[in-house]
Amino acid sequence: MKRESPGTDQKALQINLDPGKYGTFAEIGAGQEVARWFFRVGGAAGTIAKTISAYDMLVSDAIYGPCERYVSRQRLQSMLEHEYALLLERLDVKRGDSTRFFVFANTVAARSYSRQDEAHGWMGAKFQTAPKSEPSEILIHVRMLDRENLQEQEALGIIGVNLIYAACCYHTDPETIIASLIDDLTRERIEVDTIKFAGPAFQNVDNRLMSLQLVTQGLTDSAMFTAAGEVVQAADVLYKRPILVERGSFRPVTKVTIDMLNCAQAQFVQEPQSQGEEIVVLMEMTLRNLTGEAGVIDHKDFLDRVDLLGSLGKTVLISNYARYFRLASYLSRYTKKMIGIAMGVPSLREVFEEKYYTDLEGGILEAFGRLFKNDLRLYVYPYQDPASGSIITADNLRVAPHLPHLYSYLLENHFIQSIADYNDAFLPIFSREVLAKIQTGDSAWEIMVPPQVAHIIKERKLFGYHGS
């Protein structure tokens, strides 16, 4: 059912006319575009206790404390905490019994005469759901995609109003909060790639599921969280660092999963471009990896897989990048250092299927131009044919009859590399067969997965395990 949503001006006016809501607006960068909506629609005196815009860095530091980066979650958090404490200090005695206080804040780097690189920012709301209650928070990171500064400011104002309205009116339904963030906007204008809920209103919310919602609802194409389950903004993890990625369904993680990654990493660290660098290792699941036969995502199953990867200390990337060249473009947004992708022979064979590139004017050549930009490397784990027992590697893989010269070029120039020093005892392990053994009670699966993975599967009875 389509959700009926008021327009931006209606949202601002509705909040202005509610005598139970009162708060502060603190905005740095791109003007005071959010507060402007509330002033423009009328009745702002009923909502706005204060607006502030500490543009100068020294002034900002004097108010909110020093900060390494001014457009960061750290700065946003300090703005929210400082302004909320002031709001209560000054107004709680007078009107705290009947008022739900809130603070909205943002810190933004928009395009300007002197700055033409990516426009992005952090914004958040710290708010009460009832008078005298402990506050809750919603924090988001946005990318502004308009080409003109004036349009960026307009989009920023709209999403700010949407965030405040969602905090006030949708706080019992986090999925609706996410959906409402781009009301009166389009995905071509703005992207929300990080969201974090905190506080008593969201005590049962798992932020990893909310990250997944950002992707499934189309507000972004990717989301990331650490082994500890902490939602993180991609730039904070990937910025100017070499990156190695392994894609999979991880249902479950097997010894092949780990052997493939370890072997690829051993080769990756020896590349001249990545020697001596601190490498980021990501385990990526696409929406296709997560979607079941019924076409829906089982949230428990998703969290189970993430927990298994977390137990191995892995950072998880959720993406809507079915094709590898789109994954490469995403990673290249944050780093010009070397990128490696670990995959099996079946995945490499798919990469050379031209049917996946019919929407590109340049077909497979355009896709490969995007994929292998910036010296990207594919590290390919061998495949053992179950019927014949023969081992297929990147070196002996056969591609379509008209593509061997292209394949040879990539192989000879080391864009595609066979993984060396793999454990041949692991080659007969296939995750679908491991899953089948788990579900049928065949204990042979236990030696096919890392010990800590086997322990968690048995302890929590994951993936249909029903043993003792």
Side-chain angles (χ1 to χ4, degrees), residues 43-112:
T47 296
I48 298 178
K50 181 181 77 173
T51 65
I52 184 171
S53 189
Y55 268 63
D56 187 276
M57 291 181 183
L58 292 177
V59 173
S60 181
D61 284 350
I63 298 172
Y64 304 118
C67 189
E68 287 185 11
R69 287 187 293 156
Y70 290 87
V71 181
S72 65
R73 184 191 296 187
Q74 180 187 359
R75 172 55 92 211
L76 174 67
Q77 198 80 61
S78 63
M79 292 170 70
L80 289 171
E81 291 172 0
H82 177 84
E83 297 298 346
Y84 188 81
L86 277 183
L87 195 61
L88 290 190
E89 177 186 322
R90 292 167 177 170
L91 297 175
D92 192 43
V93 173
K94 179 181 177 180
R95 54 184 302 170
D97 291 337
S98 59
T99 300
R100 288 170 286 167
F101 292 115
F102 73 88
V103 170
F104 170 83
N106 66 38
T107 175
V108 177
R111 286 180 179 84
S112 65

Side-chain angles (χ1 to χ4, degrees), residues 16 79 102 137 148 165 225-226 255 266 323 351 368 394 462:
N16 279 353
M79 292 170 70
F102 73 88
E137 284 184 353
E148 301 295 331
Y165 188 87
F225 34 86
T226 66
K255 288 183 175 178
R323 298 180 290 186
V351 168
F368 282 9
L462 306 184

Side-chain angles (χ1 to χ4, degrees), residues 371-433:
L371 176 61
F372 293 105
K373 183 179 173 183
N374 298 330
D375 281 342
L376 181 140
R377 298 285 188 268
L378 303 182
Y379 300 96
V380 184
Y381 197 80
Y383 171 80
Q384 185 172 41
D385 184 84
S388 65
S390 58
I391 297 175
I392 303 171
T393 70
D395 295 316
N396 62 21
L397 175 67
R398 294 183 179 180
V399 296
H402 59 292
L403 294 177
H405 293 295
L406 173 61
Y407 187 80
S408 295
Y409 168 80
L410 295 170
L411 198 64
E412 290 169 9
N413 287 278
H414 308 294
F415 292 108
I416 299 173
Q417 299 181 24
S418 285
I419 281 179
D421 301 323
Y422 60 88
N423 190 328
D424 55 7
F426 296 157
L427 293 183
I429 298 175
F430 296 94
S431 59
R432 62 181 179 276
E433 294 178 6

